[in-house]
């Protein structure tokens, strides 16, 4: 899917630049939609469906969410022509690792990823979280004082082992095809991958003990589904930003960073984020 926001144009671009842009579009699977006459796309921005950070509005077909709403102001302030492409997370992540002139949003800037990209951050504070119903049976066992929170993934693994020994395995729902699924599997936890729209309703209906989601997106998804859940553990806390290929023109990245700081100072960034809280 390709989305073409309004963007600053650069008139009379050389033919070589147009050719590079066209080749990039072919590599990514679509032709650059932001070309107009002799204007050329300077950056291809890649994202996934990850509400409320970035998602396609079903009524309009346009990219929306925190990043979707912020992007036009950011790119205009930076003076950069661009196009947006929506694709599955793993494909987008791999593309931005390999192709200069591409950036991925929104991405948690974890220590492991810092050296792999050029970063435009922080835009928000992110991370991952585990959510549960208020009557989750493990609450009293885990924290008799009623705090209803867990200390770490190690505590979750202990609960999982105890539940397995009782013959009632701990069940965790994770959005299908996400890095979060890989992270929890690497921790030795048994997970079930489900469609994003089904995750919180399934948890609220008692079909699982926990749901793993983004710390920002989990709360928003629960509100949208009209279900009552609580975060019981936040982990992998990291700033959220835009990750650009290491071969992307550093001058463009510097312009994006300066534009982001301007939007932070004038209050635009805070206003956009508040719309989704």
């Amino acid at each position: 899917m390709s989305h073409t926001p309004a963007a600053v144009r650069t008139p009379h671009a050389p033919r070589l630049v147009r050719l590079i842009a066209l080749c990039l579009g072919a590599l990514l699977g679509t032709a650059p939609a932001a070309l107009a006459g002799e204007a050329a796309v300077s950056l291809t921005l890649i994202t996934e469906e990850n509400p409320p950070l970035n998602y396609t509005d079903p009524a309009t077909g346009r990219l929306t969410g925190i990043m979707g709403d912020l992007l036009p102001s950011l790119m205009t302030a930076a003076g950069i022509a661009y196009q947006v492409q929506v694709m599955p997370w793993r494909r987008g992540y791999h593309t931005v690792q390999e192709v200069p002139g591409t950036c991925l949003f929104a991405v948690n800037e974890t220590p492991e990823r810092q050296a792999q990209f050029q970063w435009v951050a922080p835009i928000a504070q992110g991370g991952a979280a585990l959510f549960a119903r208020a009557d989750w049976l493990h609450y009293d066992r885990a924290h008799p004082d009623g705090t209803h929170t867990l200390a770490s993934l190690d505590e979750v693994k202990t609960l999982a082992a105890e539940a397995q020994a009782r013959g009632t395995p701990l069940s965790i729902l994770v959005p299908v095809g996400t890095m979060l699924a890989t992270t929890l599997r690497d921790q030795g936890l048994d997970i079930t991958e489900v469609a994003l729209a089904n995750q919180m309703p399934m948890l609220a209906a008692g079909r699982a003990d926990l749901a793993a989601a983004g710390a920002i997106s989990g709360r928003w998804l629960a509100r949208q589904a009209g279900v009552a859940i609580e975060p019981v553990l936040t982990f992998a806390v990291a700033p959220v930003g835009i990750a650009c290929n290491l071969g992307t023109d550093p001058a463009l990245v510097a312009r994006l960073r300066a534009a982001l700081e301007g939007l932070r100072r004038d209050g635009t960034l805070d206003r956009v984020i508040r719309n989704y809280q």
Side-chain angles (χ1 to χ4, degrees):
M1 174 180 177
S2 179
H3 167 71
T4 310
V8 175
R9 311 298 186 193
T10 304
H12 309 301
R15 291 182 179 180
L16 179 59
V17 176
R18 293 187 67 213
L19 179 59
I20 292 171
L22 288 168
C23 291
L24 177 61
L27 178 62
L28 293 172
T30 62
L35 292 177
E38 292 298 315
V41 173
S42 295
L43 284 178
T44 295
L45 305 180
I46 296 173
T47 191
E48 61 170 336
E49 298 288 347
N50 181 26
L53 286 168
N54 23 264
Y55 63 101
T56 303
D57 185 335
T60 65
R62 294 182 63 83
L63 188 70
T64 187
I66 293 172
M67 290 300 302
D69 292 355
L70 183 68
L71 210 55
S73 297
L74 178 68
M75 303 307 288
T76 297
I80 298 174
Y82 71 109
Q83 67 172 354
V84 175
Q85 294 184 349
V86 181
M87 60 182 70
W89 169 260
R90 288 184 177 132
R91 180 183 165 201
Y93 192 87
H94 177 72
T95 298
V96 174
Q97 284 182 311
E98 299 294 328
V99 182
T102 61
C103 301
L104 183 68
F105 68 92
V107 187
N108 287 338
E109 186 183 358
T110 62
E112 299 79 14
R113 293 172 178 167
Q114 282 178 346
Q116 299 178 21
F117 303 98
Q118 300 182 74
W119 290 91
V120 181
I123 292 173
Q125 186 71 6
L130 290 175
F131 297 86
R133 299 178 310 280
D135 62 348
W136 185 41
L137 62 89
H138 289 294
Y139 275 158
D140 291 338
R141 164 65 181 82
H143 285 277
D145 62 0
T147 59
H148 291 190
T149 57
L150 302 172
S152 65
L153 285 177
D154 285 338
E155 186 171 0
V156 178
K157 288 190 283 187
T158 298
L159 289 176
E162 293 173 351
Q164 184 69 40
R166 292 194 303 270
T168 57
L170 188 74
S171 54
I172 304 175
L173 302 175
V174 185
V176 64
T178 60
M179 291 294 291
L180 187 52
T182 302
T183 297
L184 294 180
R185 280 203 183 97
D186 289 347
Q187 290 287 328
L189 292 167
D190 187 21
I191 66 169
T192 300
E193 294 188 62
V194 298
L196 185 65
N198 297 335
Q199 184 189 28
M200 295 306 174
M202 289 175 66
L203 177 64
R207 295 176 60 183
D209 294 294
L210 298 167
I216 297 172
S217 62
R219 293 180 178 87
W220 187 88
L221 289 167
R223 285 198 301 272
Q224 295 299 303
V227 299
I229 62 166
E230 299 179 12
V232 295
L233 173 65
T234 301
F235 59 99
V237 176
V240 173
I242 300 172
C244 296
N245 177 274
L246 290 175
T248 297
D249 185 350
L252 294 179
V253 178
R255 284 157 62 182
L256 285 174
R257 289 170 178 159
L260 177 61
E261 288 311 305
L263 297 179
R264 195 189 316 279
R265 287 194 302 270
D266 71 15
T268 298
L269 179 59
D270 284 343
R271 286 194 297 272
V272 170
I273 291 174
R274 283 199 300 270
N275 288 337
Y276 293 90
Q277 290 179 334

